[in-house]
Amino acid sequence: MNRIATFIAALAASFLLWGTAFAQDKVVYHIDNAEAQATKGLRNIRNHLDVAPDTKIVVVTHAEGVDFLMEGAKDRKNPNIDYASLVSALKARGVRFEVCEITLRNRNLKKDQFSMDAEFTPSGVVRIGQLQTREGYAYIKP
């Protein structure tokens, strides 16, 4: 009987290790201040995908973090950096960009002011929590 229990335990451990070996990395990048985080965050994400191209990445924005996803947005410190092209390139690599709808209401912003690459979520903070607790995403704040 002990041999059967040992075999079952070893088999279960093997399946667990096998499953984690093939698990996809998932990361949520949290941006709530575009001026301080957008350029650095987009660079981090590009580098992340260059090293680990199969990583599933969601960028969740709220408060002033939504600004870099607005049409025509550029880096204030370096106006040569056009956010739309950087975001589009990352979107083509599978990155999702989500904008908080509470922020839209609080700042009187409209969805049509944002890049077509942006998606919307009812609450940025809630979305970050759900991605971490329900879907196992790691958290990065650039």
Side-chain angles (χ1 to χ4, degrees), residues 31-41 62-69 74-78 83 142:
I31 296 181
D32 61 359
N33 182 326
E35 189 171 342
Q37 297 171 281
T39 300
K40 175 175 52 172
H62 67 95
E64 287 76 31
V66 306
D67 294 352
F68 81 99
L69 292 172
K74 295 183 184 291
D75 185 321
R76 285 188 187 177
K77 295 175 192 168
N78 186 351
Y83 288 129

Side-chain angles (χ1 to χ4, degrees), residues 50-139:
D50 286 348
V51 174
D54 294 333
T55 305
K56 187 173 182 179
I57 296 177
V58 178
V59 179
V60 178
T61 66
H62 67 95
E64 287 76 31
V66 306
D67 294 352
F68 81 99
L69 292 172
M70 296 182 79
E71 286 291 338
K74 295 183 184 291
D75 185 321
R76 285 188 187 177
K77 295 175 192 168
N78 186 351
N80 294 329
I81 296 177
D82 172 37
Y83 288 129
S85 60
L86 298 175
V87 169
S88 289
L90 292 172
K91 178 90 172 178
R93 295 177 75 178
V95 178
R96 290 179 52 120
F97 291 87
E98 299 184 6
V99 174
C100 172
E101 291 176 344
I102 292 173
T103 295
L104 297 183
R105 285 193 303 277
N106 290 343
R107 294 183 57 196
N108 274 336
L109 299 172
K110 305 288 181 229
K111 289 182 179 181
D112 63 4
Q113 293 177 269
F114 289 86
S115 159
M116 291 180 59
D117 291 320
E119 300 175 42
F120 299 89
T121 187
S123 167
V125 172
V126 169
R127 179 71 170 140
I128 291 166
Q130 289 172 339
L131 288 168
Q132 287 182 275
T133 59
R134 294 182 186 174
E135 299 184 40
Y137 277 67
Y139 174 87

